[in-house]
Amino acid sequence: MSALNPIAPIGQAVLGLLRTAGAISIFAWRGIRAMLLPPWYFGQVGAQLMRIGFYSLPVVGLTAVFTGAALALNIYTGGARFNAEQFVPNIVVIGITRELGPVLASLMLAGRVSAAMAAEIGAMRVTEQIDALHTLSTDPFRFLVAPRLLAALISVPLLVLIADIIGVFGGYGVSTVILDFNGATYIRNTLDFMTSGDVTSGLIKAGVFGFIIALMGCYHGYNSARGAQGVGRATTNAVVSAAILIFAANYTLTTLFV
Amino acid sequence: MTMSTSSKISISGVYKAFGANKVLRGVDIELQAGKSLVVIGGSGTGKSVLLKCILGLLTPDEGSISVDGQSIHKTGPRTRQNIMGKFGMLFQGGALFDSLSVWENVAFRLIYADGVSRRAARKRAIAALAKVNLGPETANLGPAELSGGMQKRVGLARAIAARPEILFFDEPTTGLDPITADVINNLIRSQVTALGATAISITHDMASARKIADEIAMIYEGKIIWRGPAKDVDNSGNPYVEQFVTGSETGPIKVMAG
Ligand SMILES: Nc1ncnc2c1ncn2[C@@H]1O[C@H](COP(=O)(O)OP(=O)(O)OP(=O)(O)O)[C@@H](O)[C@H]1O
Ligand SMILES: [Mg+2]
């Protein structure tokens, strides 16, 4: 009878969503607590900084350079319609630092980092390694979750800062080589026009996105269902939910910074 | 039923179901300190689930479990952590940390929870590995480089390395050759006799059960249906136990027909 009620499935979906939101909030709270209170496992933080930060440099760098380059071409084409080609450097730097640097780098990291975390922690869950941690007097939130959250909070803004620089140089490269801009003028226009607010707003976004990336990876891995299929689903869910939350958070944060 | 105050572990009326699958249906066990109990029972009867309930890794639907008179499920996280510190557990699947080397697995609790220096912890890990017949050459290998039986023995070394008061062994001799199995049986026996640990072991190997048990209990349809001194297991007068011990297809225990 309830199957025929058209409102029931909607209500169920809403309840399910609320339940998940509640579970993620509790998980995040426990993760933050573990991050703030000792014992801290600095070795784990260091290892995660390497894995999240250092090894993501190529992915983030390539994303940034191509995005900056494409952006410059598009702005040039668009600007030419009302004789505003000279604004390429100004708009590239705004586009990259405020929006595309943080968002695109974080999306790439969601694919790379959230997925890897969910797969690793999920495999630990299904092979009882997380249970084993408990029996060895070690809190998995301190040993697994907190180091990942902290490492992501530190390394994603740094990666985005690097992406900003590389992205601007992607635009510079295209503009000077293909569009006949003068290199020195391009750099001067970029620096004169850019404000510190453009960069910091992007870096604040990056911190939030970094937290989302690690949180989704850890949450879905930690709650992985049994078996290889469970781990596979956890990995997919981690990437998809991290990406969606990044878009949602990006909009919310942008409304604060305009 | 009298609640003995000197019980190390006291389990009463424990129920645990997974959906419609009613696994534990009123388990009662009292275990004195310094005794070795072996739990036998068919595959899938809830032996591993029982151990995980005692460890607090699963929450029973009903009933109470206490260790040294302290309830483990109705207590704060701090007390719970203290109680957990008394346990060492060998998981049925080994549950080794595959990101760490063999010796780091064995020394895990010493390094990460007890604050022992890595150098001293490594020495103790190698001593514990020797007790399970593994030479120092295995210390630097990864768990994935070991055979199934070797992984089991590393798990055993990890369980005993920090000399916990209570030891749980989930199928300690499964997958071992008869000679190594005997080394393990003697090791478990000596943990109890020489070091005074309290042990619960699960096994299907009756030779092993006879060797390591002070008492044997049989679980069937979610309850403990027989319990007695190890020497009585061959003339228990209980048709279920007789069938299990002799490994006969005919008897009161229902065997699924293909
Ligand atoms: N986390 C879980 N989620 C759902 N069902 C579970 C879970 N853990 C165990 N079960 C179910 O509980 C039952 C008992 O499992 P358990 O692992 O305790 O068996 P066992 O007695 O240890 O068997 P074996 O001798 O084969 O190891 C099984 O039917 C199993 O499917
Ligand atoms: Mg089992």
Side-chain angles (χ1 to χ4, degrees):
Chain A
M1 133 191 116
S2 67
L4 296 179
N5 183 345
I7 301 175
I10 300 174
Q12 244 150 33
V14 170
L15 282 180
L17 206 65
L18 288 178
R19 234 192 323 270
T20 310
I24 292 175
S25 308
I26 293 169
F27 191 92
W29 167 241
R30 289 179 65 187
I32 291 170
R33 254 180 63 98
M35 209 158 57
L36 298 178
L37 301 173
W40 292 294
Y41 297 103
F42 293 110
Q44 299 301 306
V45 179
Q48 291 304 322
L49 280 174
M50 268 319 261
R51 285 166 65 175
I52 303 172
F54 188 71
Y55 292 118
S56 297
L57 277 172
V59 169
V60 168
L62 285 170
T63 307
V65 74
F66 285 121
T67 306
L71 188 61
L73 286 179
N74 277 321
I75 293 165
Y76 186 84
T77 316
R81 289 176 201 159
F82 35 92
N83 298 320
E85 301 95 324
Q86 73 273 28
F87 292 121
V88 167
N90 318 33
I91 299 177
V92 164
V93 74
I94 293 248
I96 290 286
T97 55
R98 293 188 81 105
E99 179 79 16
L100 295 175
V103 171
L104 290 182
S106 300
L107 286 177
M108 295 306 287
L109 291 172
R112 197 182 167 274
V113 174
S114 297
M117 285 182 184
E120 186 184 9
I121 297 179
M124 291 185 75
R125 163 63 71 199
V126 303
T127 57
E128 300 181 323
Q129 292 177 50
I130 292 183
D131 290 341
L133 276 179
H134 279 289
T135 68
L136 295 165
S137 300
T138 307
D139 177 0
F141 271 82
R142 296 186 196 287
F143 193 76
L144 296 175
V145 178
R148 283 168 172 77
L149 289 176
L150 188 60
L153 270 176
I154 296 169
S155 55
V156 174
L158 287 176
L159 284 168
V160 166
L161 190 62
I162 293 167
D164 286 351
I165 296 166
I166 295 178
V168 166
F169 274 96
Y172 169 89
V174 165
S175 304
T176 51
V177 174
I178 302 177
L179 305 175
D180 283 340
F181 272 80
N182 174 282
T185 321
Y186 189 99
I187 296 288
R188 185 155 27 79
N189 280 350
T190 299
L191 292 177
D192 286 350
F193 185 74
M194 181 180 80
T195 69
S196 63
D198 295 333
V199 179
T200 45
S201 71
L203 295 186
I204 291 169
K205 281 183 176 181
V208 174
F209 298 166
F211 187 78
I212 290 172
I213 287 165
L215 182 68
M216 287 300 106
C218 293
Y219 172 80
H220 288 285
Y222 195 84
N223 293 298
S224 169
R226 309 214 288 170
Q229 234 178 1
V231 178
R233 214 172 314 121
T235 308
T236 312
N237 288 343
V239 176
V240 172
S241 58
I244 290 174
L245 286 178
I246 285 169
F247 283 123
N250 179 52
Y251 176 73
T252 313
L253 290 169
T254 305
T255 60
L256 300 179
F257 294 136
V258 284
Chain B
M1 271 225 175
T2 54
M3 278 280 279
S4 159
T5 45
S6 64
S7 281
K8 189 79 180 168
I9 299 173
S10 160
I11 301 163
S12 80
V14 164
Y15 284 75
K16 179 73 190 174
F18 296 99
N21 181 7
K22 297 194 177 73
V23 181
L24 302 180
R25 296 177 232 170
V27 173
D28 303 295
I29 295 175
E30 297 286 330
L31 186 58
Q32 307 297 309
K35 292 287 177 207
S36 169
L37 175 72
V38 165
V39 178
I40 59 173
S43 184
T45 49
K47 303 181 298 295
S48 299
V49 167
L50 175 64
L51 289 192
K52 285 182 195 164
C53 285
I54 306 174
L55 288 166
L57 299 172
L58 291 173
T59 310
D61 303 329
E62 265 180 65
S64 70
I65 298 173
S66 50
V67 173
D68 288 327
Q70 283 180 304
S71 168
I72 62 158
H73 293 283
K74 298 179 191 98
T75 180
R78 179 86 17 118
T79 331
R80 177 112 161 250
Q81 183 119 28
N82 283 344
I83 301 175
M84 285 296 258
K86 299 178 181 182
F87 287 101
M89 164 86 177
L90 164 66
F91 285 85
Q92 187 169 356
L96 300 179
F97 304 121
D98 36 30
S99 57
L100 301 177
S101 68
V102 163
W103 82 264
E104 286 170 317
N105 264 280
V106 176
F108 189 91
R109 178 166 158 185
L110 299 174
I111 297 173
Y112 293 103
D114 300 347
V116 177
S117 76
R118 281 178 73 84
R119 179 188 289 265
R122 190 183 150 94
K123 267 201 193 110
R124 281 174 67 178
I126 287 176
L129 285 168
K131 286 187 188 154
V132 296
N133 244 10
L134 289 171
E137 71 280 358
T138 50
N140 289 325
L141 299 177
E145 296 172 84
L146 304 180
S147 75
M150 290 163 88
Q151 290 181 7
K152 189 128 247 178
R153 285 183 279 157
V154 173
L156 216 135
R158 184 174 71 180
I160 63 170
R163 300 193 195 103
E165 298 168 34
I166 305 169
L167 286 162
F168 287 175
F169 301 110
D170 198 343
E171 309 202 359
T173 56
T174 310
L176 301 183
D177 65 85
I179 300 167
T180 312
D182 203 49
V183 171
I184 298 306
N185 291 335
N186 291 333
L187 174 64
I188 292 176
R189 194 59 242 179
S190 74
Q191 294 293 313
V192 176
T193 317
L195 299 178
T198 309
I200 300 182
S201 316
I202 290 170
T203 187
H204 297 137
D205 171 358
M206 288 311 298
S208 171
R210 289 189 186 91
K211 194 133 195 185
I212 62 186
D214 293 313
E215 281 193 281
I216 295 179
M218 175 151 171
I219 187 169
Y220 181 69
E221 291 192 329
K223 286 196 180 74
I224 302 291
I225 55 156
W226 182 84
R227 178 169 171 181
K231 60 176 171 28
D232 291 355
V233 74
D234 293 304
N235 38 33
S236 60
N238 181 313
Y240 294 91
V241 178
E242 268 165 22
Q243 187 190 351
F244 191 87
V245 170
T246 56
S248 160
E249 197 184 332
T250 52
I253 299 174
K254 290 171 232 106
V255 182
M256 291 279 186

